[in-house]
Amino acid sequence: MEEIRMDLRIPDEKREAEIRRTAEVLFRLNQTPPFSKERDQLLKDLFTGGLGEGCNINTPLYMIIAENLHIGNRVSIGPYFKCMSAGHITIEDDAQIAMGVSVITNNHDFYDRPVLTIKDVRIGKNAWIGANAILLPGVTVGENAIVGAGSVVTRDVAPNTIVAGNPAKPIKTLDPEKFQ
């Protein structure tokens, strides 16, 4: 996965405007009653990068740049979902993300800390991310994979694989024929 470098000392008006827009919409969304038409509209307003049909997204949420999130159909996201989204985050159809999950696309250069190092994250179709798991920059979680609760994912997770721990390691392979 290609790394992008962004020097935060260089002004970027478009990025700053999206950070402000995201913060303002998130504030309203996180204060809006669940199951209201206003909440549904705010979710559409927030996820300008794409929000699929039939999603169940619970608040509160926290993210930096909402336009960098791309959410497929029938995705379920639990409360306290956090994204450091300088890079793109793609969540494919039917993925399930439990409460307290963090998805991080950026880090800082070890020696020049105002420089962000950015790698996109992808969560595959029908993947399940357990509560309080952390996905680090550049990770792909494959189709039907499961990330155990509290795991720290530092490397790609193969399709049909269960990983757990810190760092997350494979613990079981699932039979892809059993998925409907």
Side-chain angles (χ1 to χ4, degrees), residues 87-172:
H88 290 268
I89 298 170
T90 301
I91 304 171
E92 295 180 359
D93 294 350
D94 302 303
Q96 296 181 29
I97 299 174
M99 179 171 64
V101 169
S102 297
V103 179
I104 302 168
T105 65
N106 48 285
N107 202 347
H108 292 270
D109 183 275
F110 295 154
Y111 299 103
D112 192 7
R113 299 212 176 124
V115 173
L116 290 183
T117 57
I118 302 166
K119 290 184 180 179
D120 297 342
V121 171
R122 184 177 70 81
I123 299 171
K125 182 178 178 188
N126 201 43
W128 174 14
I129 313 300
N132 295 311
I134 300 170
L135 307 182
L136 294 179
V139 165
T140 294
V141 176
E143 184 173 337
N144 301 321
I146 298 172
V147 174
S151 297
V152 178
V153 181
T154 61
R155 298 174 190 209
D156 289 352
V157 178
N160 307 304
T161 301
I162 300 173
V163 299
N166 181 3
K169 297 196 182 312
I171 59 172
K172 184 174 182 168

